[in-house]
Amino acid sequence: MMNGKEYIESLRKYKPTVYFMGKKIESVADSPILAPHVNAAAMTYELAHDPKYEDVMTAKSHLTGEKINRFTHIHQSTEDLVKKVRMMRLLGRKTGSCFQRCVGLDALCALYITTYDIDQKYGTDYHERFKEYLIYVQKNDLMAAGAMTDVKGDRSLRPHQQADPDMYVRVVERREDGIVVRGAKAHITGAVNSHEIIALPTRAMGEKDKDYAVAFAVPVDAEGVVMFFGRQTNDMRRLDGDIDCGNAKYGTVGGEALIVFNDVFVPWERVFMCGEYDFASELVETFATYHRQNYGGCKVGVADVLIGASAAIAEYNGVEKASHIVDKLTEMVHLAETCWCCSLACSYEGFKTPSGAYMPNLLLANVTKLNITRFPYEWSRLAQDIVGGIVATTPSELDYKNPETRELIEKYLKGKADVPTEHRIRMIRLIENLSIGAELPESMHGAGSPAAQKIMIARRANLDLKKEEAKRVAGILPDEDYQRVRGEEKKE
Amino acid sequence: MKIGVKYCGGCNPEYRREEVEEVLRKHFKISYSEDVDILILINGCRKACLAEEVEHPNILVVGSPMSEEEIVRKVEDAMKELGKAKP
């Protein structure tokens, strides 16, 4: 297993084509714009070596028996599923940001299950092929970017109906030694600082979409892969210093990129689905369930930092004992822990699939994520309420560091006498980072938008059974247990 | 050959578990006993709590809705297997 430093060093061996602000990034490991995201991902490696965290950060490979980073592990029990979300909360708390590596983990787990199921139906050998790839990932402790979301073009049309056939990633050529793929995947977390890209279909497919039912893995610097690193609110602040960033070390959300597959060759040993359109929805649903499971872990870890920041700024301002502040902080904790309950619940209610891998309860995982499309907005609102309007009006770090103006800012941004002004500014900036920037839309749309969760919840709502219970309680249907209790077995 | 049925606790079933028993009764003679040749565990969901808890040499696990044909086929297959295994 690599440690954090070794992970950063390992990125130097790859030469991905990455563009940002009109320029090519020459070294992912050395770019100041990418640094916070690289650091956050590095924590997934570093903590695996810390005796204080290794119990959740590591696992035993079911394929090799070796100790591996849990981010490459296929869950072998419900306890594994629980440890996964514990790992998410730990890392959210440690970084106050997105550490990106869960997407690749979820892609690995979803492919493990679906390749097994495809082989059962068609007699293909995807599962064995995938296991070989998995061992390679585990042995080399690689970070994989899970690339699911296609750019989609006209959302009302299926992949094969699009005016431009490249709106969904597709196979453009089948060769003896592999396939050639073309298309693009959007909003891919941690893509530029991963070692591998694992591409999955993004939706259910029909027979005419056969060429779009494709899953594969390529190194990030495979020929023809071009990435565009996305902009974030206030991203240029990281070039000015560290205070105004709020979280200079780990940034905010995952550092997403648009990945273009410009006729990329994929050898057969790295192809895990090719034309089995009837398994596209299973793969999507399985991946989505794993990914939605996470959000009551990672986002709650980030909420721990925001709640801490809100409590600290209340102290710095001298209002920590005001009843409305105590009430707001308590409400934030309640919201966060409710989401934590959801992640734990869907994990404990997980089940064994025919492949042997465990997956979370589908209904509860979707409930988890639907709450995350809402509750972070509320705990961010409360944080903004507690910190005050200064969260949007604080003078810049450059004015604070300017010897001509520093004294004035020191004096007039002071809170309680015993708290350094810089501490107060840093805490305000952290709250700004966590409650105003990209964090909120990521909560909304990461792992799928609310409508996607609603569809899954409705599908599993089991209203017929609930109606039956209602009819029994209302006295419309017989209630045998009641009849026995009352000795009225023959009356109803 | 004796066939037994055991239900999970039924906290939040995803389907009417009783339908499985109704099918079984229609085609086989069954009892609520674990001292049987084949034990059928009727779980309300795929979590299948019973599968984790019950120890029996010949278990059939139901954890999601199944058609009548599927239930009957599974039990008959299990009976055949057991028949082969017995001297």
Side-chain angles (χ1 to χ4, degrees):
Chain A
M1 295 188 302
M2 284 192 270
N3 62 27
K5 222 172 171 180
E6 287 164 343
Y7 156 71
I8 294 174
E9 205 48 48
S10 74
L11 296 176
R12 296 185 201 286
K13 292 178 203 145
Y14 294 79
K15 303 287 173 207
T17 304
V18 182
Y19 289 95
F20 181 67
M21 300 291 287
K23 288 181 188 156
K24 196 173 167 189
I25 290 178
E26 293 304 329
S27 167
V28 168
D30 301 304
S31 160
I33 284 293
L34 305 181
H37 307 296
V38 171
N39 294 339
M43 293 297 273
T44 69
Y45 288 90
E46 186 62 24
L47 298 193
H49 291 268
D50 191 327
K52 295 200 294 289
Y53 308 116
E54 68 172 350
D55 183 54
V56 296
M57 292 299 304
T58 62
K60 186 177 165 187
S61 168
H62 73 293
L63 296 176
T64 64
E66 288 170 16
K67 186 177 176 182
I68 53 171
N69 192 301
R70 190 174 290 280
F71 277 100
T72 65
H73 182 53
I74 304 299
H75 315 294
Q76 298 298 303
S77 62
T78 50
E79 193 50 42
D80 268 350
L81 293 170
V82 172
K83 282 196 174 171
K84 178 201 184 193
V85 295
R86 292 191 192 285
M87 174 172 74
M88 299 295 155
R89 184 160 186 178
L90 165 69
L91 282 159
R93 194 158 47 81
K94 281 281 177 189
T95 61
S97 186
C98 169
F99 35 90
Q100 310 140 43
R101 213 174 160 191
C102 61
V103 203
L105 164 62
D106 297 334
L108 291 173
C109 291
L111 278 168
Y112 191 88
I113 291 171
T114 307
T115 52
Y116 180 89
D117 292 341
I118 296 174
D119 289 356
Q120 292 301 303
K121 182 170 178 186
Y122 290 115
T124 42
D125 67 343
Y126 290 121
H127 192 60
E128 283 309 309
R129 197 185 281 182
F130 179 73
K131 281 202 290 191
E132 286 301 313
Y133 175 73
L134 180 62
I135 290 170
Y136 166 73
V137 169
Q138 289 182 342
K139 277 192 181 297
N140 293 284
D141 200 6
L142 299 178
M143 172 166 161
M148 173 168 270
T149 308
D150 289 280
V151 293
K152 295 177 186 168
D154 182 340
R155 272 66 174 164
S156 71
L157 300 175
R158 302 186 70 84
H160 74 276
Q161 296 170 324
Q162 297 286 331
D164 180 340
D166 300 334
M167 291 297 98
Y168 289 77
V169 171
R170 66 186 177 120
V171 180
V172 290
E173 192 186 342
R174 285 177 172 79
R175 298 181 357 196
E176 207 171 291
D177 51 350
I179 57 173
V180 177
V181 294
R182 189 189 300 157
K185 296 282 188 181
H187 341 295
I188 305 306
T189 296
V192 302
N193 53 296
S194 289
H195 306 103
E196 292 275 319
I197 298 165
I198 301 176
L200 313 172
T202 199
R203 55 168 296 163
M205 306 268 178
E207 194 170 357
K208 287 181 180 169
D209 302 315
K210 218 171 172 178
D211 288 340
Y212 298 88
V214 60
F216 59 88
V218 288
V220 284
D221 55 358
E223 200 180 335
V225 172
V226 180
M227 293 190 266
F228 296 92
F229 188 69
R231 291 218 69 177
Q232 287 183 351
T233 313
N234 300 332
D235 50 13
M236 286 302 163
R237 286 188 187 184
R238 53 189 78 159
L239 303 181
D240 297 334
D242 71 321
I243 297 177
D244 283 357
C245 292
N247 185 354
K249 285 181 286 186
Y250 305 114
T252 189
V253 302
E256 279 69 24
L258 173 71
I259 305 177
V260 177
F261 296 94
N262 222 347
D263 288 358
V264 175
F265 172 71
V266 189
W268 281 116
E269 61 266 26
R270 282 169 163 268
V271 177
F272 310 123
M273 171 189 273
C274 188
E276 293 79 8
Y277 63 90
D278 46 335
F279 282 91
S281 68
E282 176 188 313
L283 187 50
V284 172
E285 202 170 280
T286 307
F287 172 82
T289 300
Y290 278 124
H291 208 44
R292 289 168 192 169
Q293 169 204 16
N294 300 345
Y295 274 67
C298 61
K299 293 291 177 195
V300 172
V302 174
D304 288 332
V305 178
L306 181 61
I307 293 165
S310 305
I313 199 69
E315 274 175 26
Y316 295 175
N317 289 342
V319 295
E320 75 274 19
K321 290 189 179 131
S323 63
H324 73 98
I325 296 290
V326 174
D327 182 67
K328 282 162 193 158
L329 287 169
T330 308
E331 182 66 16
M332 289 172 82
V333 172
H334 165 249
L335 291 166
E337 299 301 340
T338 300
C339 294
W340 177 235
C341 293
C342 291
S343 266
L344 286 176
C346 71
S347 306
Y348 277 116
E349 292 292 287
F351 61 94
K352 191 177 185 178
T353 64
S355 71
Y358 277 69
M359 69 179 284
N361 178 290
L362 282 82
L363 173 63
L364 298 185
N366 280 277
V367 169
T368 304
K369 176 64 216 326
L370 189 60
N371 279 341
I372 289 293
T373 68
R374 301 169 180 177
F375 290 11
Y377 286 82
E378 181 60 7
W379 67 55
S380 295
R381 187 185 71 78
L382 291 163
Q384 289 172 18
D385 187 349
I386 292 168
V387 66
I390 199 159
V391 74
T393 65
T394 303
S396 81
E397 176 175 357
L398 295 178
D399 288 328
Y400 182 56
K401 286 181 175 166
N402 179 354
E404 284 177 38
T405 52
R406 183 178 179 105
E407 208 178 306
L408 291 173
I409 293 174
E410 274 287 352
K411 180 179 168 71
Y412 289 111
L413 259 78
K414 188 87 182 160
K416 272 167 91 169
D418 60 346
V419 177
T421 300
E422 185 180 323
H423 291 192
R424 184 164 180 258
I425 294 175
R426 281 186 180 275
M427 208 52 83
I428 291 164
R429 287 297 184 205
L430 177 59
I431 294 171
E432 181 194 20
N433 168 285
L434 292 171
S435 68
I436 295 179
E439 184 68 25
L440 290 174
E442 206 284 331
S443 297
M444 176 73 82
H445 296 292
S449 309
Q453 286 112 59
K454 285 275 183 75
I455 290 167
M456 290 287 290
I457 291 169
R459 211 182 278 167
R460 298 185 171 271
N462 212 343
L463 292 182
D464 284 343
L465 222 78
K466 293 185 198 320
K467 278 191 286 185
E468 201 176 303
E469 300 290 14
K471 286 175 187 170
R472 183 185 48 74
V473 173
I476 297 165
L477 287 176
D479 188 338
E480 289 167 9
D481 300 316
Y482 173 81
Q483 288 165 342
R484 276 199 300 275
V485 167
R486 302 301 300 177
E488 296 173 354
E489 284 173 57
K490 287 178 184 169
K491 281 189 182 172
E492 267 191 57
Chain B
M1 203 169 283
K2 288 191 282 183
I3 300 171
V5 161
K6 188 169 172 62
Y7 279 95
C8 72
C11 63
N12 187 21
E14 292 175 356
Y15 67 103
R16 261 196 83 241
R17 298 174 303 158
E18 295 80 356
E19 282 170 12
V20 178
E21 185 184 337
E22 285 158 18
V23 169
L24 289 169
R25 287 203 181 281
K26 197 170 143 189
H27 296 271
F28 309 99
K29 193 174 174 209
I30 59 167
S31 63
Y32 294 128
S33 167
E34 291 182 43
D35 183 20
V36 289
D37 298 305
I38 297 169
L39 181 60
I40 298 163
L41 306 180
I42 305 179
N43 295 277
C45 70
R46 292 173 76 183
K47 163 78 176 161
C49 294
L50 279 180
E52 293 170 10
E53 294 159 9
V54 176
E55 285 184 13
H56 190 279
N58 300 300
I59 281 178
L60 267 183
V61 180
V62 182
S64 53
M66 283 166 114
S67 67
E68 182 167 345
E69 294 75 31
E70 206 176 347
I71 294 169
V72 173
R73 183 174 48 78
K74 275 190 178 276
V75 177
E76 285 177 348
D77 287 351
M79 290 167 80
K80 272 184 213 157
E81 278 298 310
L82 199 58
K84 273 188 220 161
K86 280 196 171 174

